[in-house]
Amino acid sequence: AEIIAGGTELLMGELVDSNSTYLAAELPTLGVDLRLVSKIGDDVSDLTKAISSALKRSDLLITTGGLGPTSDDLTRESIAAFFGEEMVVKSNLLNDLKKEFEKRGADMPETNIKQASLIESAASIPNPHGTAPGWFVHKDGKTVVALPGPPLELIPMWTNYIKTKIRNLSPGIFIKTETMIW
């Protein structure tokens, strides 16, 4: 597996990438060997190239960040470009998103509409702690899991929705690690 942490803020030292560390500790318990972690800025071309490179080396790619509503949130677009698929706004996801904003007592900004989009080969991952649903793509023997950047959103999504899906990709396999302190 590989992890791509997306966001120029990570490259500028504005935020520490705790998501990759969390996922790196989780993957061995599922029998997944993590080979590489990358940090990529907010650029569709760079992200698409990084996705392509990662999936040449690995069968599983997990992305964190870039699922928000702003113009620099480009993970969805990059995954769509890699797979050559068009993003389509799904009415059920859009309705869920509007309901989330209603619960918050606010109107949904137009920029959030892209958070209700999917490509044909993707399934939506619910995000009960935010407005950015994730993506789970399994195509051509490769799996891409797109998770949001905020750890308070990523961790529950991982625990409640993704961990079992990843475990089912290689059932019965796990990696045991032992730390010895001298």
Side-chain angles (χ1 to χ4, degrees):
E2 295 192 26
I3 298 171
I4 295 175
T8 301
E9 64 276 11
L10 297 173
L11 298 176
M12 297 176 65
E14 294 174 11
L15 293 175
V16 174
D17 175 22
S18 61
N19 290 335
S20 295
T21 303
Y22 171 78
L23 293 168
E26 287 285 305
L27 289 170
T29 68
L30 304 174
V32 177
D33 185 20
L34 179 62
R35 295 295 179 110
L36 186 66
V37 176
S38 306
K39 294 178 189 169
I40 308 294
D42 299 315
D43 179 87
V44 168
S45 177
D46 290 344
L47 281 165
T48 304
K49 287 176 192 170
I51 291 167
S52 178
S53 294
L55 291 175
K56 284 178 185 169
R57 293 183 297 261
S58 300
D59 295 327
L60 171 63
L61 171 63
I62 302 171
T63 68
T64 67
L67 300 182
T70 61
S71 61
D72 64 338
D73 289 311
L74 300 167
T75 300
R76 285 182 199 85
E77 291 84 346
S78 301
I79 295 168
F82 170 77
F83 284 111
E85 297 184 36
E86 182 138 351
M87 294 186 350
V88 177
V89 174
K90 300 294 184 177
S91 58
N92 61 321
L93 295 177
L94 186 58
N95 288 335
D96 291 345
L97 200 52
K98 287 178 180 178
K99 287 178 188 172
E100 179 61 31
F101 276 92
E102 286 174 15
K103 282 195 277 181
R104 297 175 180 197
D107 292 329
M108 186 186 83
E110 291 292 313
T111 55
N112 285 80
I113 291 174
K114 78 175 192 169
Q115 293 181 303
S117 65
L118 283 175
I119 57 175
E120 182 67 30
S121 59
S124 178
I125 305 166
N127 181 353
H129 299 282
T131 63
W135 281 13
F136 188 91
V137 183
H138 188 70
K139 183 177 181 179
D140 301 328
K142 303 292 183 175
T143 302
V144 178
V145 178
L147 297 170
L152 293 176
E153 296 177 31
L154 178 141
I155 292 170
M157 289 173 74
W158 173 262
T159 303
N160 297 324
Y161 301 103
I162 300 304
K163 202 170 180 176
T164 301
K165 286 180 176 282
I166 300 298
R167 181 178 289 122
N168 290 338
L169 293 174
S170 300
I173 298 173
F174 68 95
I175 299 171
K176 182 179 178 184
T177 61
E178 187 174 332
T179 303
M180 298 176 68
I181 301 173
W182 298 90

